Amino acid sequence: MLAAMLMRPRVNGVFGPELGSGPLAAQVAQLLSDDALQPTLNAALPTGRGLARAAWVSGEIEHIDAYGTDPRSLPWAAELCPLGVRSAAAIPVLGQRSEFILVLLGAWRSQFHAGWM
């Protein structure tokens, strides 16, 4: 596990990290402070077509087996792939509705694929 980031959308619809852990957590938090790379609920933007929004809207676990080749990872791939990110998952943490999204970044392809977990 390279990073685990607990995120939720702010009033403006942009996901912000609440808490992070793992060897890349600080770098990922810094990366997400860039306006052009902030995940958002706005599906009209490329950063609104990633795992965080998908998990928030569906209430289901979303995953990417091959980070950098999946279109949902493209806004962040140029920054995260060189750091060793190969897969990702977004897990909604539910209360009455989605409260947070737990984003996991993995060092291996298909690390979060349910077929072997």
Side-chain angles (χ1 to χ4, degrees), residues 50-71:
L51 292 186
R53 180 188 180 279
W56 185 266
V57 171
S58 72
E60 301 289 330
I61 297 171
E62 302 284 340
H63 71 277
I64 291 175
D65 290 329
Y67 206 88
T69 61
D70 189 301

